[in-house]
């Protein structure tokens, strides 16, 4: 499968969403003569479809995935769906389930193939219908080739520990908190210079207030303030007791 073919599929894959309206999902690709063409992956259906990902397997097959259900994080029937385009063929397979934790929204899949030609699927299961309660999961297929869904050989939650040690609470100089602040400052500059300048004063003020509220929420999550407990602020070997946050949200995948 030529690189141009794959890049064009990535660029023009129309698995975006159809929320309350029905939409036919299509992809576009570059043929051997470098002309564009569109193709329906699956027929019109009423469910919400979003978050596409696509990968080329070692045998040249294309494997696409997306999440689908009656909503996003607030809909507990959301699952990860997929379809396969066999090498040399023009028709995508029937859709199939790639991952589904019953009773929880499964969202935002990502596919990739590692150096051992193993297929990885990574996605989030939203535990409490809010993005900051998302738990990162992954599956591995040692032999992803076939006609339908890959056979999965391993699945696990992905545990993370970003930032500094937090055994006694998140410290004032924590690296993860500083990283979040740096990203927010960069976006805020862009937000003020590029977006707010295009709005009326009234709308700009409203948007700025919304941003300040959102920034405060991100800072609170980074500092673990949704899990305040007794902690210790260290200065060398000495410490003072203080209620501090613990990193539940950033460790489960936020």
């Amino acid at each position: 499968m030529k690189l141009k073919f794959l890049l064009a599929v990535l660029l023009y894959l129309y698995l975006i969403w159809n929320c309350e309206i029905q939409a036919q999902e299509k992809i576009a690709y570059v043929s051997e003569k470098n002309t564009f063409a569109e193709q329906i992956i699956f027929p019109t259906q009423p469910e919400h479809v979003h978050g596409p990902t696509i990968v080329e397997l070692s045998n040249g097959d294309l494997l696409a995935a997306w999440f689908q259900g009656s909503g996003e994080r607030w809909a507990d029937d959301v699952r990860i769906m997929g379809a396969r385009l066999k090498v040399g063929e023009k028709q995508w397979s029937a859709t199939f389930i790639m991952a589904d934790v019953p009773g929880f929204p499964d969202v935002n899949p990502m596919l990739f193939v590692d150096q051992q030609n193993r297929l990885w699927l990574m996605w989030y299961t939203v535990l409490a219908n809010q993005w900051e309660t998302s738990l990162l999961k992954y599956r591995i297929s040692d032999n992803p080739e076939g006609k339908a869904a890959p056979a999965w050989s391993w699945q696990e939650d992905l545990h993370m520990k970003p930032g500094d040690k937090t055994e006694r609470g998140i410290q004032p100089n924590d690296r993860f908190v500083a990283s979040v602040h740096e990203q927010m400052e960069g976006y805020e500059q862009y937000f003020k210079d590029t977006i707010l300048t295009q709005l009326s004063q009234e709308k700009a003020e409203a948007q700025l207030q919304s941003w300040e509220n959102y920034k405060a929420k991100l800072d609170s999550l980074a500092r673990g303030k949704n899990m305040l407990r007794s902690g210790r602020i260290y200065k060398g070997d000495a410490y003072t007791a203080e209620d501090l946050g613990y990193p539940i949200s950033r460790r489960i995948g936020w």
Side-chain angles (χ1 to χ4, degrees):
M1 199 66 66
K2 292 183 178 180
L3 180 59
K4 287 185 177 179
F5 182 98
L6 182 57
L7 291 175
V9 173
L10 285 169
L11 183 60
Y12 291 97
L13 186 63
Y14 293 139
L15 293 176
I16 306 302
W17 65 60
N18 60 3
C19 296
E20 297 180 357
I21 63 172
Q22 295 184 345
Q24 289 182 324
E25 302 305 331
K26 301 178 180 180
I27 58 96
Y29 59 90
V30 179
S31 72
E32 294 181 356
K33 296 182 179 180
N34 293 327
T35 58
F36 289 99
E38 289 185 352
Q39 184 179 3
I40 296 173
I41 291 184
F42 54 84
T44 298
Q45 53 83 42
E47 289 189 315
H48 180 97
V49 178
H50 193 31
T53 179
I54 190 169
V55 71
E56 181 181 4
L57 303 179
S58 59
N59 69 340
D61 288 356
L62 292 182
L63 187 64
W66 58 92
F67 70 85
Q68 179 175 331
S70 57
E72 286 196 12
R73 66 185 185 278
W74 54 83
D76 290 338
D77 63 353
V78 182
R79 67 273 187 204
I80 308 300
M81 299 294 293
R84 183 187 297 267
L85 181 64
K86 297 290 294 181
V87 62
E89 297 184 2
K90 297 295 185 181
Q91 183 64 47
W92 286 80
S93 71
T95 61
F96 43 73
I97 292 178
M98 294 280 282
D100 184 21
V101 179
F104 292 87
D106 295 297
V107 299
N108 295 342
M110 179 183 68
L111 293 169
F112 68 93
V113 175
D114 65 18
Q115 292 181 345
Q116 301 174 37
N117 288 323
R118 299 180 303 173
L119 173 71
W120 291 63
L121 167 65
M122 303 181 74
W123 79 99
Y124 284 106
T125 296
V126 187
L127 299 180
N129 299 104
Q130 297 296 312
W131 293 124
E132 60 267 29
T133 68
S134 297
L135 179 63
L136 188 57
K137 295 176 175 287
Y138 70 93
R139 279 182 160 180
I140 299 175
S141 176
D142 294 322
N143 183 20
E145 300 172 4
K147 294 184 179 180
W152 304 105
S153 54
W154 182 258
Q155 176 172 325
E156 185 57 275
D157 299 331
L158 185 60
H159 301 290
M160 297 173 289
K161 295 181 72 173
D164 297 315
K165 292 183 177 181
T166 60
E167 289 89 340
R168 291 290 188 172
I170 298 174
Q171 300 298 298
N173 58 347
D174 181 83
R175 288 179 298 164
F176 182 80
V177 175
S179 174
V180 171
H181 284 183
E182 182 180 355
Q183 293 180 64
M184 288 193 295
E185 288 173 0
Y187 180 76
E188 182 170 318
Q189 191 63 49
Y190 160 79
F191 183 64
K192 290 180 177 179
D193 294 345
T194 306
I195 297 179
L196 296 187
T197 56
Q198 302 177 36
L199 303 177
S200 66
Q201 181 177 353
E202 182 179 358
K203 289 184 177 180
E205 290 176 354
Q207 288 294 315
L208 185 58
Q209 183 58 57
S210 295
W211 164 247
E212 291 295 333
N213 295 338
Y214 184 67
K215 186 168 63 172
K217 177 182 178 180
L218 293 185
D219 177 73
S220 177
L221 287 172
R223 295 180 185 277
K225 291 184 177 180
N226 52 338
M227 185 178 278
L228 285 173
R229 298 290 189 275
S230 59
R232 296 175 178 177
I233 296 180
Y234 286 90
K235 292 184 178 180
D237 294 331
Y239 66 85
T240 57
E242 186 172 327
D243 284 345
L244 296 174
Y246 284 79
I248 181 62
S249 290
R250 74 195 204 192
R251 285 194 177 176
I252 65 173
W254 163 71

